[in-house]
Amino acid sequence: MQSQEIINRAVECLQCEAAAIQALIPRLDENFLRAVQLIRDCKGKIVVTGVGKSGHIGSKIAATLASTGTPAFFLNPLDAYHGDLGMLGSDDLVLAISYSGATEELLRFLPLIQAKRITIIGMSSNPSSLLAKYSDVHLDISVEREADPLNLVPTSSTTVTLALGDALACALIEAAHFQPSDFAMLHPGGDLGRKLLAKVRDVMVKENLPFLTSEMPMSEAIEIVTNGKLGVGIVVENLPSLQGEELCSIERPVDGHRTSRGRLLGIITDGDIRRAMQRLGQSFFSTPVSDIMSRNPKTIHKDAKIVEAGEMMNHYSIHSLIVLDNNNHVVGVVDSFSCLPGTRFYH
């Protein structure tokens, strides 16, 4: 088989599966809304069940629901016959998946669920199937054809089932007003969860901060900003006439990090410096910092979450924030690189 033929077959597979997902959209009707409401109102757990490939997809759907704030787990019908039926309570809801709607092992399980008066949401390709008849709500996952050349292998059908499960999860996120902080609480071990839960003080730059005075000439200020390597100079009042590294050593709290007792007056960014040099020419170097600095810079408290810092930087189209403590003393700088991956920041 030629390389191009292999690529063509792969393209046809993806096109077939994409078309199958597109065909789902008109089916997001009252049944889908009712399914979302039933899951939203469930006082217990969502128990996802299915056999074979449907079981594998069901396991992923259960994991997605659980990770987005809807308590859920997967139960194999075969295990239910051997004691695991005791895991179901009357407040639970069952999401049963069978493409044919006639999987014997699943159908033998459903009357046991009904006997417990548990609500059933069925997902199958046949609205007239036994699964649909057992279900309080039925969701149609039919596809025109499977994506494989033989039209036999569960491909388009499993893709559609998974996509509909994701659609349920996304709708529930919207209905529950699920927030990034909620996601972080359920994913504390991952990098994203760590970043969402971490606070500004955990990631801010807090040593050798580039402090400036408002009277300082730009010839001195530009050296401090450059050595600071943060793209910003922090202008505060009441600093003694010190230079370079000494200027950073105004106060050494118990934790050893350098802060400034002076009131924050403003900042100078690399962009401010470039624009001022272009505008002022040679007089730039003798110009005082106060003539160049941006007043009322954006600040954030050291105990704020870094996701809040990222949102602020996005909103104001800036790349860094000055970090303050409870006494409004400057204790650090947090920049866009310390915040969430994938978040857009402007420089």
Side-chain angles (χ1 to χ4, degrees):
M1 190 174 185
Q2 298 298 317
S3 298
Q4 190 56 51
E5 292 176 336
I6 294 174
I7 296 296
N8 290 343
R9 175 55 62 191
V11 169
E12 289 174 8
C13 172
L14 295 177
Q15 289 175 334
C16 185
E17 294 191 355
I21 292 177
Q22 286 289 331
L24 264 181
I25 295 175
R27 293 180 233 158
L28 300 179
D29 54 12
E30 292 300 320
N31 287 325
F32 181 83
L33 290 173
R34 191 174 172 213
V36 170
Q37 192 62 49
L38 286 172
I39 296 173
R40 182 80 180 90
D41 293 342
C42 178
K43 304 299 183 184
K45 303 170 293 298
I46 308 304
V47 183
V48 186
T49 186
V51 179
K53 301 295 189 298
S54 293
H56 294 308
I57 297 299
S59 180
K60 193 276 178 184
I61 292 174
T64 300
L65 290 172
S67 71
T68 52
T70 301
F73 67 90
F74 177 77
L75 177 62
N76 190 313
L78 300 178
D79 294 331
Y81 303 136
H82 300 281
D84 285 359
L85 187 62
M87 299 169 69
L88 274 70
S90 58
D91 288 335
D92 294 339
L93 180 150
V94 168
L95 176 60
I97 306 170
S98 167
Y99 186 72
S100 67
T103 305
E104 182 180 354
E105 298 90 338
L106 182 61
L107 293 179
R108 286 167 48 205
F109 176 41
L110 295 183
L112 304 177
I113 298 173
Q114 284 188 322
K116 288 177 170 282
R117 299 184 181 277
I118 294 174
T119 299
I120 299 173
I121 297 174
M123 297 174 68
S124 82
S125 63
N126 183 1
S128 300
S129 65
L130 281 176
L131 173 57
K133 292 178 181 178
Y134 275 122
S135 301
D136 296 278
V137 176
H138 178 261
L139 300 177
D140 184 359
I141 53 172
S142 61
V143 298
E144 185 175 341
R145 62 162 288 123
E146 299 290 2
D148 71 288
L150 302 176
N151 191 25
L152 294 175
V153 181
T155 47
S156 295
S157 57
T158 51
T159 299
V160 162
T161 306
L162 182 61
L164 189 57
D166 287 343
L168 285 170
C170 290
L172 289 162
I173 288 172
E174 180 70 22
H177 305 293
F178 195 75
Q179 299 297 316
S181 57
D182 300 315
F183 184 86
M185 293 299 295
L186 298 174
H187 300 75
D191 183 64
L192 180 58
R194 181 190 65 80
K195 284 182 175 287
L196 284 166
L197 288 175
K199 296 187 176 180
V200 168
R201 65 169 183 254
D202 299 321
V203 299
M204 69 184 184
V205 176
K206 48 196 172 187
E207 296 183 349
N208 300 325
L209 297 176
F211 289 119
L212 310 173
T213 64
S214 59
E215 302 84 8
M216 182 183 293
M218 286 304 302
S219 58
E220 296 180 24
I222 193 171
E223 181 179 356
I224 295 174
V225 173
T226 301
N227 292 337
K229 299 179 181 179
L230 296 175
V232 64
I234 307 167
V235 187
V236 291
E237 67 178 358
N238 300 329
L239 289 185
S241 299
L242 301 176
Q243 303 295 323
E245 284 288 313
E246 292 178 310
L247 189 58
C248 299
S249 305
I250 307 308
E251 175 187 2
R252 286 183 180 272
V254 177
D255 64 2
H257 299 307
R258 297 158 180 171
T259 66
S260 166
R261 292 176 183 237
R263 181 170 60 92
L264 178 65
L265 299 179
I267 61 170
I268 291 181
T269 66
D270 287 340
D272 293 331
I273 292 172
R274 289 193 300 271
R275 287 186 289 272
M277 290 182 72
Q278 184 178 29
R279 184 178 76 253
L280 300 173
Q282 286 299 317
S283 64
F284 164 82
F285 295 99
S286 60
T287 300
V289 165
S290 58
D291 288 358
I292 307 297
M293 70 182 188
S294 301
R295 303 176 186 275
N296 300 315
K298 302 304 178 185
T299 64
I300 193 165
H301 192 273
K302 64 184 179 66
D303 290 328
K305 292 180 180 177
I306 60 173
V307 66
E308 297 175 41
E311 289 170 353
M312 280 188 66
M313 284 184 266
N314 263 336
H315 179 74
Y316 292 109
S317 300
I318 55 179
H319 66 75
S320 60
L321 294 168
I322 306 302
V323 184
L324 305 178
D325 64 10
N326 293 334
N327 297 314
N328 289 325
H329 297 162
V330 177
V331 293
V333 175
V334 62
D335 62 28
S336 59
F337 298 104
S338 303
C339 298
L340 295 178
T343 305
R344 294 182 180 179
F345 297 102
Y346 303 85
H347 299 264

